[in-house]
């Protein structure tokens, strides 16, 4: 007679978790086992993981720490990369957590949630800026690195009492980080950004640290939050100052800190708001909100407080395109294969609001392509207009070669 496992985890759960991990791809952890290598002995690997999880003998390995350049170009942030086994195990845990926690979360919590998109938060924010003159833009400093384990586990235990879920969350939180220099760093707080389980745990922590607190304390002030970035809309400057002061105190109570440089009070200035302030624009999720000339459907122009792709997002695209334009050894088809996913993802995200800014920037991509042509072919050396004209001819015969060509943004030259 088979001995029953102490924890009721099915092999089907582990298999489904593996499928999700595979779909998300990702780099190997500290064991250097890639997805392809893992699949070479898939059935045995999944069985071993299930057996360890179901019997209580599963212990996660250290998390590989990878330095990622910050979007603003100033310094790096650490991304935690668990092993494939640990990513699968964390996905199993998330599958048990989500049914308990998702109904708890507020609609204006947008980060890393099923059915939620960052562009939804941008749309809601745009409408609220029309109704509220002031907004607090805030950032929680090092959220993923500084979450208090004891406070987090209290929140988890409030909503789920399954022993193995609690046990494996605790073990995952305590798994050390293997730093870029090879040393291992023990962890008594934080949940590595990049871990499968980190998103839902950070959302739960911020649900009580911020979402529930602001909704209860300031019910007339709508807000939106995406992970550690958030906005609170206010009627007056004085109200914004008061809320911001209370927000700092609240974060301190939760052993977190509001980032002093990334947090500010903003006046949503437009043609109907003649006042002024030190800050009249803010960035949120890659978009910059500020006063812009807007054309109505009837062809009339007015100055409205609206979002468009930010300078940082434009800079990020340019850096990626600039790197590729140097690869003169590639064929144009190979260049397109590398460039198209970058352009497609960028354009699909930023086209929703002020698409003219997106078209303007994608036109610049053609200049980068022309520089690639000048580098690759001697006959076009230092001949920008001739290179653009040659690209324009190719665009006419093969308009689907590059994503932005298909959008009608084609090169023009001699």
């Amino acid at each position: 007679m088979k001995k029953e496992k102490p924890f009721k985890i099915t092999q089907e759960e582990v298999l489904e978790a593996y499928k999700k991990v595979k779909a998300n791809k990702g780099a190997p952890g500290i064991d250097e086992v890639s997805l392809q290598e893992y699949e070479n002995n898939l059935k045995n690997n999944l069985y071993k993981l299930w057996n360890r999880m179901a019997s209580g003998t599963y212990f996660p390995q250290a998390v590989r720490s990878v330095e990622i350049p910050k979007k603003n170009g100033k310094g790096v942030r650490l991304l935690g990369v668990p092993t494939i086994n640990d990513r699968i195990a964390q996905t199993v845990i998330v599958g048990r957590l989500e049914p308990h926690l998702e109904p708890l979360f507020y609609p204006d919590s947008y980060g890393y949630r099923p059915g939620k998109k960052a562009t939804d938060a941008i749309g809601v924010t745009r409408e609220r800026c029309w109704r509220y003159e002031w907004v607090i833009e805030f950032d929680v400093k090092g959220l993923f690195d500084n979450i208090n384990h004891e406070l987090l586990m209290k929140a988890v235990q409030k909503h789920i009492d399954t022993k193995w879920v609690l046990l494996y969350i605790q073990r995952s939180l305590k798994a050390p980080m293997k730093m870029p220099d090879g040393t291992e760093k023990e962890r008594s707080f934080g949940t590595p950004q990049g871990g499968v389980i980190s998103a839902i745990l950070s959302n739960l922590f911020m649900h009580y640290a911020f979402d529930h607190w602001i909704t209860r304390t300031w019910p007339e002030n709508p807000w939106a939050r995406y992970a550690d970035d958030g906005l609170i809309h206010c009627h007056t400057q004085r109200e914004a100052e008061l809320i911001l002061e209370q927000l700092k105190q609240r974060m301190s109570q939760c052993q977190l800190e509001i980032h002093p440089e990334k947090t500010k009070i903003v006046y949503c200035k437009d043609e109907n708001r003649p006042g002024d302030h030190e800050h009249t624009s803010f960035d949120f999720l890659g978009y910059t909100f500020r006063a812009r000339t807007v054309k109505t459907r009837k062809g009339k122009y007015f100055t409205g407080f609206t979002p468009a792709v930010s300078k940082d997002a434009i800079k990020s695209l340019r850096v990626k395109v600039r790197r590729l334009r140097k690869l003169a050894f590639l064929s144009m088809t190979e260049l397109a294969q590398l460039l198209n996913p970058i352009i497609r993802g960028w354009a699909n995200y930023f086209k929703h609001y002020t698409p003219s800014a997106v078209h303007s920037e994608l036109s610049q991509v053609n200049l980068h392509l022309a520089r690639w042509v000048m580098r690759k072919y001697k006959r076009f050396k230092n001949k920008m207009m001739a290179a653009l004209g040659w690209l324009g001819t190719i665009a006419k015969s093969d308009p689907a070669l590059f994503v932005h060509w298909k959008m009608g943004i084609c090169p023009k030259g001699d």
Side-chain angles (χ1 to χ4, degrees):
M1 184 176 176
K2 265 189 176 182
K3 187 178 179 182
E4 190 174 336
K5 301 288 184 183
F7 296 146
K8 292 183 179 179
I9 303 170
T10 67
Q11 294 185 42
E12 287 73 19
E13 281 181 283
V14 176
L15 177 60
E16 289 304 311
Y18 155 73
K19 291 177 181 177
K20 290 179 181 179
V21 169
K22 182 181 178 180
N24 290 328
K25 301 179 181 178
I30 62 163
D31 59 2
E32 298 183 350
V33 175
S34 67
L35 270 166
Q36 187 175 355
E37 290 171 310
Y38 193 88
E39 288 175 337
N40 289 339
N41 194 16
L42 182 61
K43 189 173 181 180
N44 192 40
N45 284 333
L46 293 180
Y47 179 82
K48 283 181 180 179
L49 177 59
W50 166 79
N51 191 45
R52 286 163 54 207
M53 291 189 75
S55 62
T57 59
Y58 163 70
F59 284 87
Q61 291 181 264
V63 178
R64 183 167 70 91
S65 180
V66 180
E67 291 182 340
I68 304 293
K70 290 185 177 179
K71 290 180 181 178
N72 59 12
K74 299 177 182 178
V76 296
R77 63 184 175 87
L78 290 179
L79 190 71
V81 183
T83 64
I84 292 168
N85 251 352
D86 293 339
R87 295 210 292 271
I88 296 169
Q90 288 186 22
T91 304
V92 172
I93 298 167
V94 170
R96 290 293 186 101
L97 283 175
E98 270 188 355
H100 295 272
L101 300 185
E102 267 300 312
L104 174 74
F105 295 152
Y106 287 94
D108 282 316
S109 167
Y110 289 91
Y112 317 119
R113 293 182 58 196
K116 290 282 187 179
K117 295 184 294 184
T119 48
D120 295 336
I122 297 299
V124 166
T125 297
R126 181 181 65 161
E127 293 176 7
R128 288 171 177 170
C129 286
W130 296 339
R131 293 187 283 119
Y132 293 81
E133 293 189 16
W134 297 86
V135 65
I136 301 168
E137 175 194 7
F138 72 90
D139 177 276
V140 180
K141 190 175 181 180
L143 171 63
F144 290 92
D145 296 330
N146 295 306
I147 288 176
N148 180 283
H149 286 180
E150 185 179 347
L151 293 176
L152 174 60
M153 288 310 300
K154 280 184 180 178
V156 174
Q157 289 164 2
K158 186 175 181 180
H159 299 285
I160 191 165
D161 58 5
T162 307
K163 288 183 179 180
W164 68 263
V165 172
L166 298 174
L167 175 66
Y168 292 147
I169 288 176
Q170 288 177 318
R171 287 182 183 175
S172 295
L173 290 173
K174 291 177 181 177
M177 290 277 283
K178 188 168 185 179
M179 307 306 287
D181 63 4
T183 60
E184 281 198 3
K185 181 181 178 182
E186 296 297 320
R187 290 193 297 122
S188 56
F189 48 83
T191 175
Q193 189 168 0
V196 177
I197 203 170
S198 297
I200 195 166
L201 291 181
S202 64
N203 267 335
L204 177 62
F205 194 90
M206 286 301 293
H207 171 80
Y208 285 108
F210 174 75
D211 304 354
H212 187 61
W213 170 81
I214 192 71
T215 302
R216 177 172 45 83
T217 309
W218 295 91
E220 300 302 316
N221 296 81
W223 55 272
R225 183 182 62 80
Y226 195 103
D228 52 0
D229 294 322
L231 304 169
I232 307 169
H233 298 269
C234 306
H235 299 88
T236 65
Q237 181 178 357
R238 177 67 189 125
E239 184 181 61
E241 291 168 347
L242 180 60
I243 294 175
L244 179 55
E245 188 57 39
Q246 290 187 11
L247 176 62
K248 291 176 181 177
Q249 294 172 10
R250 175 59 181 173
M251 290 299 104
S252 180
Q253 291 171 358
C254 300
Q255 300 184 30
L256 295 174
E257 181 186 353
I258 291 297
H259 199 298
E261 296 172 9
K262 297 180 180 179
T263 299
K264 61 187 178 184
I265 294 172
V266 178
Y267 180 54
C268 303
K269 185 179 176 65
D270 60 25
E271 66 180 30
N272 297 316
R273 294 165 177 169
D276 211 350
H277 186 255
E278 177 187 3
H279 303 294
T280 54
S281 70
F282 66 88
D283 283 9
F284 186 50
L285 301 178
Y287 281 84
T288 295
F289 287 74
R290 64 171 177 82
R292 303 175 194 277
T293 301
V294 180
K295 185 179 180 181
T296 67
R297 291 178 181 177
K298 294 182 178 180
K300 293 184 178 181
Y301 291 90
F302 70 98
T303 302
F305 195 85
T306 59
V309 56
S310 70
K311 288 181 180 178
D312 283 346
I314 288 173
K315 181 181 177 181
S316 176
L317 176 67
R318 288 181 181 178
V319 168
K320 292 174 183 176
V321 175
R322 196 177 293 123
R323 286 175 188 155
L324 291 178
R325 85 177 191 208
K326 295 178 180 178
L327 305 180
F329 59 86
L330 295 175
S331 69
M332 189 169 288
T333 300
E334 290 169 335
L335 180 65
Q337 288 172 346
L338 290 174
L339 190 56
N340 280 339
I342 296 171
I343 297 174
R344 185 181 296 110
W346 190 88
N348 283 346
Y349 181 69
F350 289 109
K351 70 182 181 181
H352 295 279
Y353 303 98
T354 320
S356 58
V358 172
H359 279 248
S360 176
E361 186 53 34
L362 291 182
S363 295
Q364 298 297 311
V365 174
N366 288 325
L367 297 180
H368 288 286
L369 290 178
R371 291 188 178 95
W372 175 83
V373 170
M374 290 190 292
R375 182 184 288 262
K376 186 174 181 66
Y377 301 107
K378 289 182 180 179
R379 70 181 186 273
F380 291 114
K381 187 177 181 180
N382 298 324
K383 296 178 181 179
M384 172 64 79
M385 295 307 291
L388 283 170
W390 184 72
L391 285 170
T393 302
I394 294 175
K396 286 179 182 177
S397 61
D398 190 3
L401 181 60
F402 288 97
V403 168
H404 62 298
W405 290 3
K406 201 171 181 180
M407 296 167 62
I409 308 169
C410 297
K412 296 175 183 178
D414 289 343

